[in-house]
Amino acid sequence: RLATAIRDLTKEYVLKSETVRALRGVSFDVPEGDFVAIMGPSGSGKSTLLNLLGCLDKPTTGSLLLGTDDIASMSDDELADIRCQRIGFVFQSYNLIQQLSVVENIQVPLYYQGKLGSDERERAVKLAERVGLGDRLDHRPSQLSGGQQQRVAIARSLVNDPFFVLADEATGNLDSVTTEEILTIFDELNEEGRTIIMVTHEDDVAERAKRIIRLKDGMLHLDEVVSEERRSE
Ligand code: ADP
Ligand code: ADP
């Protein structure tokens, strides 16, 4: 099965005097269980592609399937529902709520759906344990290191059983030791069958994925498999 199928995707931004063609016909599939790094120079269309994958915006033409649904034909309300219910986001700046505990932060995507029961808390506790924070359940973000905060964000991204986890420069604020910890968690989650799509500027981060997609001038420039040797270097 496919986590997403992208066909001839284009996105144009219309400014006052000109049209910017941010994506000019991009096609690729992401099978369930894949681990993809998206790279490319500034202005190549990474943020635009990420916004479309995250259902934050709609394509100008082309299709982007999530399951059997094409986001191009969805209403803004339907996009918002999919975004809350079936996409996991991990950001460079963690985006945790400071007043909430670790477990409560992990449950945030469920609050939006009015799911507040003890089953949901139990699921959040399990995910906290999964990312190694079983002894920090009631801590606030300010009591955690950057790497621990990012682990909370990863647990939060999984709480809705997403089509894929979208990570945007998720290790961009972390030192190399903590970056390694986070990449190890992504690796383990991927081994468990989770689909991960991450945008990064860093070659050594990208080479931890199974596959690197490079954009250039709004087009797919390279789509390469990362060999096992390169991944484990
Ligand atoms: P990065 O290269 O770090 O991914 P960018 O600087 O390209 O980020 O873009 C940052 C944000 O600004 C993105 O959300 C993008 O959509 C928006 N953006 C980029 N270029 C323009 C522009 N010319 N006009 C308006 N918004 C833009
Ligand atoms: P990247 O993330 O690789 O830096 P972006 O997707 O941010 O690339 O940008 C691709 C192109 O689209 C750039 O020329 C950028 O200036 C333009 N762009 C991005 N977002 C907007 C926007 N909201 N309005 C106008 N132009 C934009």
mmCIF file of all heavy atoms in Angstrom, residues 9-26:
data_model
loop_
_atom_site.group_PDB
_atom_site.id
_atom_site.type_symbol
_atom_site.label_atom_id
_atom_site.label_comp_id
_atom_site.label_asym_id
_atom_site.label_seq_id
_atom_site.Cartn_x
_atom_site.Cartn_y
_atom_site.Cartn_z
ATOM 1 N N LEU A 9 2.371 17.158 -9.771
ATOM 2 C CA LEU A 9 1.968 18.188 -8.824
ATOM 3 C C LEU A 9 2.586 19.533 -9.212
ATOM 4 O O LEU A 9 3.794 19.626 -9.413
ATOM 5 C CB LEU A 9 2.454 17.769 -7.435
ATOM 6 C CG LEU A 9 1.764 18.369 -6.225
ATOM 7 C CD1 LEU A 9 0.307 17.943 -6.174
ATOM 8 C CD2 LEU A 9 2.484 17.914 -4.949
ATOM 9 N N THR A 10 1.741 20.542 -9.328
ATOM 10 C CA THR A 10 2.267 21.896 -9.532
ATOM 11 C C THR A 10 1.676 22.827 -8.487
ATOM 12 O O THR A 10 0.570 22.597 -7.981
ATOM 13 C CB THR A 10 1.952 22.484 -10.933
ATOM 14 O OG1 THR A 10 0.578 22.879 -10.969
ATOM 15 C CG2 THR A 10 2.244 21.490 -12.052
ATOM 16 N N LYS A 11 2.448 23.847 -8.153
ATOM 17 C CA LYS A 11 1.950 24.889 -7.253
ATOM 18 C C LYS A 11 2.488 26.229 -7.725
ATOM 19 O O LYS A 11 3.699 26.395 -7.896
ATOM 20 C CB LYS A 11 2.442 24.621 -5.820
ATOM 21 C CG LYS A 11 1.969 25.651 -4.815
ATOM 22 C CD LYS A 11 0.482 25.563 -4.551
ATOM 23 C CE LYS A 11 -0.015 26.692 -3.686
ATOM 24 N NZ LYS A 11 -1.478 26.600 -3.463
ATOM 25 N N GLU A 12 1.556 27.132 -7.980
ATOM 26 C CA GLU A 12 1.954 28.477 -8.400
ATOM 27 C C GLU A 12 1.466 29.467 -7.360
ATOM 28 O O GLU A 12 0.352 29.343 -6.844
ATOM 29 C CB GLU A 12 1.332 28.811 -9.765
ATOM 30 C CG GLU A 12 1.872 27.921 -10.868
ATOM 31 C CD GLU A 12 1.246 28.194 -12.220
ATOM 32 O OE1 GLU A 12 0.310 29.027 -12.304
ATOM 33 O OE2 GLU A 12 1.699 27.560 -13.195
ATOM 34 N N TYR A 13 2.301 30.428 -7.045
ATOM 35 C CA TYR A 13 1.889 31.536 -6.188
ATOM 36 C C TYR A 13 1.740 32.757 -7.082
ATOM 37 O O TYR A 13 2.654 33.099 -7.823
ATOM 38 C CB TYR A 13 2.945 31.834 -5.125
ATOM 39 C CG TYR A 13 3.189 30.696 -4.163
ATOM 40 C CD1 TYR A 13 4.336 29.910 -4.265
ATOM 41 C CD2 TYR A 13 2.282 30.417 -3.137
ATOM 42 C CE1 TYR A 13 4.570 28.879 -3.364
ATOM 43 C CE2 TYR A 13 2.512 29.384 -2.246
ATOM 44 C CZ TYR A 13 3.660 28.620 -2.364
ATOM 45 O OH TYR A 13 3.889 27.601 -1.476
ATOM 46 N N VAL A 14 0.583 33.380 -7.021
ATOM 47 C CA VAL A 14 0.358 34.552 -7.849
ATOM 48 C C VAL A 14 0.628 35.796 -7.007
ATOM 49 O O VAL A 14 -0.047 36.055 -6.010
ATOM 50 C CB VAL A 14 -1.078 34.572 -8.409
ATOM 51 C CG1 VAL A 14 -1.278 35.800 -9.287
ATOM 52 C CG2 VAL A 14 -1.353 33.293 -9.190
ATOM 53 N N LEU A 15 1.669 36.511 -7.393
ATOM 54 C CA LEU A 15 1.979 37.779 -6.731
ATOM 55 C C LEU A 15 1.413 38.889 -7.602
ATOM 56 O O LEU A 15 0.818 38.635 -8.638
ATOM 57 C CB LEU A 15 3.492 37.908 -6.549
ATOM 58 C CG LEU A 15 4.131 36.752 -5.743
ATOM 59 C CD1 LEU A 15 5.645 36.841 -5.794
ATOM 60 C CD2 LEU A 15 3.632 36.769 -4.307
ATOM 61 N N LYS A 16 1.612 40.135 -7.181
ATOM 62 C CA LYS A 16 1.014 41.253 -7.917
ATOM 63 C C LYS A 16 1.367 41.226 -9.401
ATOM 64 O O LYS A 16 0.505 41.250 -10.255
ATOM 65 C CB LYS A 16 1.474 42.583 -7.303
ATOM 66 C CG LYS A 16 0.477 43.094 -6.260
ATOM 67 C CD LYS A 16 0.920 44.445 -5.699
ATOM 68 C CE LYS A 16 0.956 44.395 -4.176
ATOM 69 N NZ LYS A 16 2.078 45.076 -3.587
ATOM 70 N N SER A 17 2.670 41.153 -9.688
ATOM 71 C CA SER A 17 3.088 41.339 -11.074
ATOM 72 C C SER A 17 3.602 40.055 -11.720
ATOM 73 O O SER A 17 3.938 40.051 -12.892
ATOM 74 C CB SER A 17 4.190 42.393 -11.119
ATOM 75 O OG SER A 17 5.212 41.995 -10.218
ATOM 76 N N GLU A 18 3.674 38.972 -10.930
ATOM 77 C CA GLU A 18 4.261 37.768 -11.527
ATOM 78 C C GLU A 18 3.689 36.511 -10.873
ATOM 79 O O GLU A 18 3.100 36.556 -9.804
ATOM 80 C CB GLU A 18 5.795 37.784 -11.378
ATOM 81 C CG GLU A 18 6.200 37.912 -9.927
ATOM 82 C CD GLU A 18 7.685 37.602 -9.678
ATOM 83 O OE1 GLU A 18 8.335 36.968 -10.531
ATOM 84 O OE2 GLU A 18 8.155 37.966 -8.597
ATOM 85 N N THR A 19 3.896 35.401 -11.575
ATOM 86 C CA THR A 19 3.507 34.107 -11.037
ATOM 87 C C THR A 19 4.776 33.328 -10.710
ATOM 88 O O THR A 19 5.651 33.192 -11.562
ATOM 89 C CB THR A 19 2.684 33.339 -12.091
ATOM 90 O OG1 THR A 19 1.530 34.121 -12.399
ATOM 91 C CG2 THR A 19 2.251 31.986 -11.564
ATOM 92 N N VAL A 20 4.868 32.859 -9.465
ATOM 93 C CA VAL A 20 6.029 32.052 -9.069
ATOM 94 C C VAL A 20 5.639 30.582 -9.182
ATOM 95 O O VAL A 20 4.673 30.149 -8.569
ATOM 96 C CB VAL A 20 6.449 32.362 -7.611
ATOM 97 C CG1 VAL A 20 7.628 31.479 -7.197
ATOM 98 C CG2 VAL A 20 6.778 33.826 -7.438
ATOM 99 N N ARG A 21 6.390 29.837 -9.993
ATOM 100 C CA ARG A 21 6.100 28.404 -10.144
ATOM 101 C C ARG A 21 6.969 27.626 -9.150
ATOM 102 O O ARG A 21 8.095 27.258 -9.454
ATOM 103 C CB ARG A 21 6.357 27.980 -11.601
ATOM 104 C CG ARG A 21 5.439 28.729 -12.568
ATOM 105 C CD ARG A 21 5.827 28.475 -14.004
ATOM 106 N NE ARG A 21 5.539 27.099 -14.407
ATOM 107 C CZ ARG A 21 6.139 26.483 -15.432
ATOM 108 N NH1 ARG A 21 7.077 27.111 -16.118
ATOM 109 N NH2 ARG A 21 5.810 25.260 -15.731
ATOM 110 N N ALA A 22 6.425 27.387 -7.981
ATOM 111 C CA ALA A 22 7.205 26.777 -6.895
ATOM 112 C C ALA A 22 7.393 25.275 -7.120
ATOM 113 O O ALA A 22 8.435 24.725 -6.794
ATOM 114 C CB ALA A 22 6.527 27.034 -5.557
ATOM 115 N N LEU A 23 6.373 24.594 -7.649
ATOM 116 C CA LEU A 23 6.498 23.187 -8.053
ATOM 117 C C LEU A 23 6.020 23.080 -9.490
ATOM 118 O O LEU A 23 4.968 23.600 -9.844
ATOM 119 C CB LEU A 23 5.672 22.270 -7.139
ATOM 120 C CG LEU A 23 6.125 22.132 -5.679
ATOM 121 C CD1 LEU A 23 5.150 21.234 -4.906
ATOM 122 C CD2 LEU A 23 7.545 21.591 -5.557
ATOM 123 N N ARG A 24 6.801 22.391 -10.323
ATOM 124 C CA ARG A 24 6.526 22.381 -11.770
ATOM 125 C C ARG A 24 6.295 20.988 -12.318
ATOM 126 O O ARG A 24 6.871 20.613 -13.337
ATOM 127 C CB ARG A 24 7.728 22.958 -12.511
ATOM 128 C CG ARG A 24 8.184 24.302 -12.035
ATOM 129 C CD ARG A 24 9.558 24.554 -12.627
ATOM 130 N NE ARG A 24 10.021 25.879 -12.284
ATOM 131 C CZ ARG A 24 10.260 26.829 -13.186
ATOM 132 N NH1 ARG A 24 10.139 26.604 -14.471
ATOM 133 N NH2 ARG A 24 10.665 28.012 -12.792
ATOM 134 N N GLY A 25 5.524 20.179 -11.604
ATOM 135 C CA GLY A 25 5.252 18.840 -12.137
ATOM 136 C C GLY A 25 6.094 17.796 -11.436
ATOM 137 O O GLY A 25 7.049 17.275 -12.003
ATOM 138 N N VAL A 26 5.747 17.514 -10.193
ATOM 139 C CA VAL A 26 6.498 16.553 -9.384
ATOM 140 C C VAL A 26 5.654 15.294 -9.229
ATOM 141 O O VAL A 26 4.458 15.375 -8.936
ATOM 142 C CB VAL A 26 6.829 17.152 -7.989
ATOM 143 C CG1 VAL A 26 7.403 16.099 -7.054
ATOM 144 C CG2 VAL A 26 7.789 18.335 -8.129
#
